[in-house]
Amino acid sequence: MQNLQKEKYKDYFEGKKYNITTFGCQMNEHDSERISYILEDLGYTYTSNREDADFILFNTCLVRENAELKLYGQVSSLKKLKKENPEKIIAVSGCMMQTTTARGVIIDKHPEVDIIFGTKNINSLADLIFRYLETNERVIDISTDDVKDDFEKYNATNDFQAYVNIMRGCDNYCTYCIVPESRGREESRRPYTIIEEVEYLVDQGFKEITLLGQNVNSYGNKANYDFTFPELLARVAKIPGVERIRFTSSHPKDLSDELIDVIRDNDNVCNYFHLPMQSGSNSVLKKMNRHYTIEKYLERANKLKEEIPGIALSTDIIVGFPTETEEDFQKTLQACRKVGFDSAFTFKYSPRPKTVAATYPIIDDKIVQDRFQRLLDELYPTFNEKNKEYIGRIVDVLLESESKNDSSVLTGRTDTFKLVHVKAPKELIGEIVKVKITDNTSFTISGDLVNQ
């Protein structure tokens, strides 16, 4: 049926352009890559200019309130564009659309939106477009059915880095988090489908593969695959041609010694670990429903450092979670000093609808802002010291793009995920090169290209 519809509308799609705006995490970025593949398969071509696009899509995030408010503003800005050209199709997808509250705002207040679909309906996008073209009426498709475990097709952002979903959803139910509501319960893809997908990507020339999941450490726990995440990671690491493997995200309660061993024993598994701490206070962690103590967290962080010398650790920290006292906050600062993070994603708590924490009394914003600034004042000097340790070293860097400020400078990442600036010809984008580090800031390191 879909092929018949494609043939019917073949002339319609000729010359049409699309634009996608993505909010949120790497899983959302990968979903946008899948959407891009579907649109180009129909005949659309990409444009970075939203006003030139015939199909405009927002792939949404609900984890932080800021992303939600930004979406409403950007959708509203298209009202005039839609009025001037009613044939433009505007679509909203992603995590926000999986929740009735946010979806209701789009439905009730934004008539300019033509197509609405959720995180589990990406594969149906072509059919949704055909339905809209047939009826010229708004199309809404929000499914709660299990995701099909198919070989995923998508347009990767570049031809040397690729994402591979290994699981979707989450069963942890942290009291501040909307993910179980927006992406559903935890589902693991079949291991051999994942391995086949990675093999295909390597054959296509991709150098760096990132395995994605809300909590990769619990991969396979609910399935009958007899495959744990360390076992899956070890199998992927053995695929010929895989130069770099990353994964995200990890829950501290499920970080096993076996996983640490796999990272240590495989050179192509990057020496970088994102381990969300969220708070250094046990009372706050309990309120968050995190299922570990700060003592357990520090033990796991120390184990990573002991077994994998030079590993870089990053984290997530929420400041101002309901009930957080000054004493609790001081414990977060103390934990940061003990670990010595290389980088961190820091957030001021914002209540999300349908979460337990949304029922808790919030802390005064002035107190939260003060604590947030003090956290940054604690972290940034550590980041600087960690980066300064690289001066004089020769490191392998996968060059990713031109610098936004200077086209003669390329940016890339070490296997420890350090952002590197180096003067190099743009022909080297996508290559792993050696760079001698000569300078640093709290957020970047820079150096000179070493003759290969």
Side-chain angles (χ1 to χ4, degrees):
M1 181 67 177
Q2 191 176 101
N3 287 335
L4 291 175
Q5 292 285 69
K6 280 176 65 175
E7 184 62 28
K8 177 180 177 180
Y9 287 102
K10 180 176 64 175
D11 293 338
Y12 168 83
F13 291 117
E14 187 175 349
K16 292 288 194 297
K17 299 177 182 179
Y18 75 95
N19 176 273
I20 299 176
T21 300
T22 306
F23 300 92
C25 67
Q26 289 168 307
M27 295 196 76
N28 276 26
E29 292 176 16
H30 185 48
D31 285 348
S32 291
E33 292 178 338
R34 294 168 59 200
I35 291 168
S36 174
Y37 177 88
I38 292 169
L39 294 174
E40 293 192 10
D41 186 56
L42 289 174
Y44 285 103
T45 57
Y46 175 75
T47 175
S48 59
N49 188 337
R50 191 182 293 169
E51 292 190 358
D52 288 345
D54 303 282
F55 185 95
I56 302 170
L57 183 137
F58 297 93
N59 187 11
T60 63
C61 173
L62 197 58
V63 173
R64 304 292 168 199
E65 184 180 20
N66 185 52
E68 186 176 349
L69 297 176
K70 189 181 292 185
L71 170 77
Y72 295 144
Q74 294 198 23
V75 171
S76 292
S77 71
L78 297 182
K79 288 181 179 179
K80 182 180 178 183
L81 204 61
K82 178 73 172 178
K83 189 175 182 179
E84 292 172 349
N85 186 355
E87 291 190 2
K88 283 184 184 290
I89 300 175
I90 300 174
V92 180
S93 68
C95 295
M96 278 181 64
M97 296 304 96
Q98 289 290 150
T99 64
T100 54
T101 303
R103 187 167 69 249
V105 172
I106 295 296
I107 291 172
D108 296 338
K109 297 185 178 181
H110 296 279
E112 66 274 16
V113 176
D114 304 302
I115 298 175
I116 298 170
F117 62 101
T119 57
K120 295 188 176 186
N121 308 96
I122 293 173
N123 291 339
S124 302
L125 176 57
D127 291 326
L128 302 184
I129 294 173
F130 294 141
R131 279 166 54 188
Y132 176 76
L133 294 176
E134 292 280 351
T135 65
N136 201 35
E137 295 180 356
R138 173 181 276 170
V139 177
I140 302 173
D141 191 5
I142 307 297
S143 171
T144 57
D145 295 337
D146 289 346
V147 177
K148 292 181 180 179
D149 189 22
D150 296 331
F151 189 98
E152 294 187 338
K153 296 179 179 179
Y154 53 92
N155 285 342
T157 305
N158 57 51
D159 58 5
F160 50 89
Q161 293 170 306
Y163 295 131
V164 175
N165 277 330
I166 67 169
M167 60 195 302
R168 303 175 183 86
C170 185
D171 287 350
N172 286 309
Y173 287 92
C174 299
T175 58
Y176 55 82
C177 185
I178 195 68
V179 166
E181 173 75 17
S182 62
R183 286 198 173 263
R185 300 298 299 270
E186 185 178 291
E187 302 172 77
S188 297
R189 296 179 67 204
R190 291 190 299 268
Y192 294 105
T193 303
I194 296 167
I195 291 167
E196 178 187 2
E197 193 168 319
V198 175
E199 289 174 337
Y200 169 79
L201 291 167
V202 173
D203 286 344
Q204 298 302 303
F206 288 92
K207 292 182 169 65
E208 182 177 285
I209 307 295
T210 300
L211 306 179
L212 295 177
Q214 242 67 51
N215 174 20
V216 293
N217 293 348
S218 63
Y219 171 82
N221 284 359
K222 289 171 57 179
N224 297 316
Y225 304 146
D226 195 28
F227 243 80
T228 64
F229 179 59
E231 290 170 325
L232 176 67
L233 185 62
R235 287 291 298 271
V236 170
K238 294 295 187 291
I239 295 174
V242 179
E243 296 189 45
R244 282 187 175 182
I245 307 166
R246 300 190 187 277
F247 56 86
T248 193
S249 186
S250 290
H251 198 297
K253 73 180 178 64
D254 299 312
L255 172 52
S256 65
D257 288 346
E258 290 78 12
L259 177 55
I260 296 173
D261 291 345
V262 171
I263 301 170
R264 180 197 62 202
D265 296 339
N266 290 274
D267 291 339
N268 56 355
V269 179
C270 291
N271 289 341
Y272 168 78
F273 206 107
H274 183 68
L275 193 64
M277 181 178 76
Q278 305 301 4
S279 174
S281 165
N282 284 333
S283 64
V284 173
L285 289 172
K286 187 174 182 179
K287 277 279 188 180
M288 290 178 167
N289 197 37
R290 291 291 287 171
H291 297 290
Y292 57 83
T293 63
I294 191 59
E295 290 78 17
K296 177 65 175 179
Y297 180 93
L298 293 173
E299 183 274 326
R300 292 287 80 189
N302 288 334
K303 180 76 172 180
L304 282 163
K305 288 184 171 185
E306 290 169 3
E307 294 294 328
I308 312 165
I311 192 170
L313 298 182
S314 65
T315 195
D316 294 341
I317 300 173
I318 297 174
V319 174
F321 185 81
T323 75
E324 180 190 71
T325 64
E326 177 63 25
E327 181 181 0
D328 293 325
F329 176 67
Q330 288 296 328
K331 289 178 180 178
T332 296
L333 296 182
Q334 292 168 12
C336 290
R337 294 181 197 119
K338 289 178 180 178
V339 176
F341 294 111
D342 289 75
S343 60
F345 297 92
T346 54
F347 308 96
K348 291 186 289 184
Y349 171 76
S350 61
R352 309 313 296 132
K354 294 190 176 182
T355 60
V356 174
T359 65
Y360 300 160
I362 62 173
I363 298 173
D364 183 85
D365 187 61
K366 289 183 179 179
I367 295 174
V368 176
Q369 180 57 43
D370 174 69
R371 290 177 186 170
F372 187 75
Q373 186 58 55
R374 283 189 283 153
L375 175 65
L376 299 185
D377 291 343
E378 177 68 41
L379 290 171
Y380 287 177
T382 304
F383 299 166
N384 187 67
E385 289 302 313
K386 290 284 184 180
N387 287 346
K388 189 178 291 185
E389 293 173 4
Y390 280 75
I391 293 179
R393 295 186 193 175
I394 295 177
V395 294
D396 290 331
V397 178
L398 175 56
L399 297 176
E400 299 176 359
S401 63
E402 293 181 3
S403 168
K404 294 178 181 178
N405 299 322
D406 185 349
S407 60
S408 70
V409 173
L410 302 185
T411 64
R413 299 274 181 180
T414 66
D415 79 324
T416 54
F417 209 63
K418 298 292 183 181
L419 182 61
V420 181
H421 295 283
V422 58
K423 285 208 171 199
K426 64 181 180 181
E427 290 76 20
L428 289 178
I429 291 175
E431 299 297 325
I432 296 177
V433 301
K434 293 191 180 297
V435 177
K436 184 172 183 179
I437 304 304
T438 59
D439 201 2
N440 76 283
T441 69
S442 294
F443 309 104
T444 65
I445 56 179
S446 57
D448 301 319
L449 198 63
V450 175
N451 292 331
Q452 306 297 296

